[in-house]
C-alpha cells in the first residue's frame, strides 16, 4: 500500500514538472508546422522538372477516362477537379493501383485511380478512415480546449472499428484536473469547438517521413516520440505518416479522409478515466459522428449517442494493423 502511494506521488510530481517546462501550445504547434513545411518543401523539390504521367480513372461512368497529370505534384483531388463537382465534393479517399491513397497525396507514377465516397458498395475502408479522422479532429480540439491554463498531452488514438459505437482519443490532462469531472455543458462546449474546425473545411495534408523528421516534430512529447518509433518499426518501409490540419500536426496509424468538412453530425459524448500511467491520469475522450452524405433522424441519433457515452474498452477494440504509407518514389530521406 505504501509503495503504491509513493509511486502515485512520484507520477504526480513528474507530471507536474513536465507541465511546468512545457512551452505554450501555440509555440509547440509553430515548431511542428515549421518541421512539416520544411520537409514538405524538400520532398516537392525532388521533382524540379514537370514530368507527365497517365492516370486511368475507374468508377461508374468513368471507365476509360484518361488524364494526363504532373508527377509528384498532382493528387487524386487534382484528378477529381478534372471530372465533376460531385467527385470534388464527395470523394473522401482514393485507391491507386488498388492501394489506399489519401486524396491530397501526390501521385508519383502512371496508375489507375478510383475515387471513393461514403456510398460505396463496400464502404469499410472509407468508414475506418472516417472514424480515424473524427478521432484526429477530437484530439486537435482537445489540445487547445483549455488554452494555456492547463496542459494537455495527446496520447494514442485507439484503432477501433465503427461497430464499437464511438471513436476515441486518449489524453493526459494537467495534474491539477485529476479530480475534475466534465459536465454536460463542458461536453457541449467541446462539441462546438470541434464543429468550428468542421465549418472551416480544413484539409488533412499527408506527409510520409522518416522517423528522424517525426521525432523532431514531436520533440516536446516523449510519448509521441515513443509512438513514432513503434510505428516506424511496424512499417515495411520504416517510415511514418504525418498529417497537418490547419496549424495542427499529428501522427496517424492509417489514412485520413480529405477534409474536416466531410464531417456532418458530430458530438463529443464522454471523457472517461482510464487510470494512471507514466504521463499522469489517462483519460479517453469519445465521440460520435456521421459524414456529410449520411444523416440520421434525431431519435436514431439519440440512441447512437447513448451507446457512444459508454466506455470503449480494449476488449471491444479490434486489433487493426496500421496501414502502411503510400509507396513513394524515391522514398523520403532525412536531412
Amino acid at each position: 500500500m505504501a509503495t503504491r502511494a509513493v509511486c502515485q506521488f512520484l507520477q504526480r510530481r513528474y507530471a507536474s514538472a513536465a507541465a511546468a517546462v512545457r512551452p505554450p501550445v501555440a509555440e509547440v504547434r509553430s515548431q511542428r508546422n515549421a518541421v512539416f513545411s520544411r520537409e514538405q518543401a524538400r520532398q516537392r523539390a525532388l521533382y524540379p522538372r514537370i514530368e507527365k504521367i497517365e492516370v486511368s480513372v475507374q468508377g461508374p461512368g468513368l471507365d476509360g477516362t484518361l488524364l494526363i497529370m504532373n508527377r509528384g505534384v498532382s493528387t487524386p483531388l487534382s484528378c477529381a477537379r478534372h471530372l465533376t463537382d460531385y467527385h470534388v465534393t464527395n470523394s473522401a479517399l482514393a485507391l491507386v493501383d488498388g492501394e489506399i491513397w489519401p486524396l491530397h497525396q501526390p501521385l508519383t507514377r502512371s496508375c489507375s485511380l478510383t475515387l471513393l465516397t461514403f456510398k460505396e458498395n463496400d464502404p469499410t475502408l472509407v468508414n475506418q478512415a472516417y472514424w480515424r479522422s473524427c478521432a484526429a479532429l477530437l484530439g486537435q480540439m482537445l489540445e487547445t480546449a483549455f488554452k494555456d491554463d492547463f496542459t494537455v498531452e495527446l496520447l494514442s488514438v485507439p484503432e477501433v472499428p465503427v461497430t464499437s459505437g464511438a471513436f476515441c482519443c486518449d489524453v493526459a490532462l494537467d495534474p491539477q484536473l485529476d479530480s475534475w469531472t466534465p459536465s454536460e455543458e463542458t461536453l457541449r462546449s467541446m462539441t462546438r469547438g470541434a464543429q468550428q474546425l468542421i465549418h472551416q473545411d480544413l484539409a488533412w495534408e499527408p506527409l510520409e517521413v522518416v522517423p528522424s523528421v517525426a521525432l523532431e516534430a514531436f520533440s516536446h512529447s516523449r510519448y509521441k516520440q515513443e509512438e513514432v518509433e513503434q510505428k516506424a518499426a511496424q512499417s515495411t518501409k520504416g517510415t511514418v505518416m504525418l498529417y497537418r490540419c490547419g496549424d495542427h500536426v499529428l501522427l496517424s496509424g492509417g489514412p485520413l479522409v480529405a477534409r474536416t468538412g466531410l464531417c456532418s453530425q458530430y458530438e463529443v459524448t464522454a471523457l472517461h478515466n482510464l487510470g494512471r500511467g507514466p504521463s499522469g491520469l489517462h483519460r479517453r475522450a469519445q465521440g460520435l459522428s456521421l459524414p456529410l452524405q449520411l444523416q440520421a433522424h434525431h431519435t436514431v441519433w439519440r440512441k447512437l449517442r447513448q451507446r457512444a457515452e459508454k466506455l470503449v474498452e480494449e476488449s471491444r477494440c479490434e486489433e487493426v494493423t496500421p496501414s502502411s504509407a503510400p509507396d513513394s518514389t524515391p522514398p523520403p530521406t532525412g536531412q
Side-chain angles (χ1 to χ4, degrees):
M1 193 72 180
T3 301
R4 181 184 300 176
V6 170
C7 290
Q8 290 178 346
F9 170 77
L10 291 175
Q11 286 177 343
R12 285 172 178 269
R13 186 164 186 174
Y14 171 80
S16 298
V21 298
R22 186 179 177 86
V25 174
E27 183 179 329
V28 172
R29 285 194 166 188
S30 176
Q31 184 264 344
R32 289 176 183 170
N33 261 288
V35 173
F36 189 100
S37 295
R38 186 190 68 209
E39 176 63 13
Q40 187 180 61
R42 188 196 69 79
Q43 291 189 24
R44 287 175 176 172
L46 297 174
Y47 304 93
R49 293 169 43 188
I50 298 298
E51 299 179 35
K52 298 299 182 180
I53 58 174
E54 295 183 350
V55 179
S56 175
V57 185
Q58 311 295 320
L62 296 175
D63 289 350
T65 301
L66 185 66
L67 301 176
I68 306 301
M69 308 302 290
N70 297 323
R71 177 174 179 254
V73 177
S74 299
T75 65
L77 182 61
S78 306
C79 296
R81 292 191 177 111
H82 288 279
L83 301 174
T84 67
D85 287 341
Y86 173 84
H87 293 97
V88 174
T89 302
N90 294 283
S91 296
L93 204 61
L95 292 177
V96 173
D97 291 337
E99 179 185 2
I100 304 174
W101 202 276
L103 222 61
H104 295 282
Q105 180 78 2
L107 301 169
T108 57
R109 62 183 184 271
S110 293
C111 59
S112 66
L113 172 69
T114 303
L115 297 170
L116 303 178
T117 72
F118 293 101
K119 293 189 175 181
E120 299 296 318
N121 290 332
D122 181 3
T124 303
L125 292 176
V126 181
N127 285 348
Q128 191 62 44
Y130 181 74
W131 220 230
R132 190 182 296 116
S133 303
C134 289
L137 187 67
L138 180 57
Q140 181 170 352
M141 177 278 298
L142 285 170
E143 191 173 55
T144 57
F146 298 89
K147 311 301 181 184
D148 284 326
D149 299 330
F150 302 100
T151 59
V152 177
E153 176 82 3
L154 297 182
L155 304 177
S156 62
V157 176
E159 283 280 337
V160 300
V162 177
T163 52
S164 64
F167 51 82
C168 311
C169 176
D170 291 353
V171 299
L173 302 181
D174 195 294
Q176 299 176 69
L177 296 174
D178 281 0
S179 60
W180 171 72
T181 300
S183 63
E184 283 298 319
E185 179 53 39
T186 299
L187 295 177
R188 284 193 290 269
S189 177
M190 291 180 174
T191 295
R192 289 192 293 270
Q195 289 173 344
Q196 288 177 3
L197 296 173
I198 292 171
H199 293 154
Q200 291 177 46
D201 199 19
L202 301 169
W204 268 297
E205 306 173 66
L207 188 68
E208 180 188 1
V209 303
V210 293
S212 60
V213 174
L215 290 171
E216 181 183 359
F218 295 104
S219 59
H220 295 104
S221 172
R222 189 178 69 171
Y223 189 94
K224 283 299 176 186
Q225 289 192 323
E226 292 175 353
E227 190 177 4
V228 166
E229 294 172 348
Q230 291 170 359
K231 291 189 183 304
Q234 294 169 351
S235 169
T236 56
K237 293 186 288 181
T239 57
V240 297
M241 204 69 171
L242 301 182
Y243 278 84
R244 180 166 62 183
C245 182
D247 64 351
H248 178 67
V249 176
L250 64 140
L251 178 68
S252 181
L256 305 184
V257 298
R259 53 193 175 86
T260 62
L262 287 173
C263 302
S264 180
Q265 291 173 280
Y266 188 106
E267 191 169 351
V268 181
T269 58
L271 189 61
H272 296 286
N273 289 349
L274 296 179
R276 294 207 162 272
S279 302
L281 179 62
H282 290 194
R283 306 204 191 203
R284 176 160 295 168
Q286 298 182 185
L288 174 67
S289 181
L290 285 175
L292 194 61
Q293 297 172 8
L294 304 172
Q295 298 292 314
H297 189 271
H298 65 89
T299 54
V300 175
W301 180 262
R302 186 165 60 248
K303 291 180 180 179
L304 293 173
R305 189 192 189 285
Q306 290 172 350
R307 184 185 178 198
E309 292 173 356
K310 299 177 181 178
L311 173 64
V312 176
E313 301 180 35
E314 295 302 321
S315 59
R316 291 171 58 193
C317 301
E318 295 179 3
E319 291 295 328
V320 181
T321 302
S323 303
S324 59
D327 191 14
S328 300
T329 305
T333 57
Q335 281 192 339

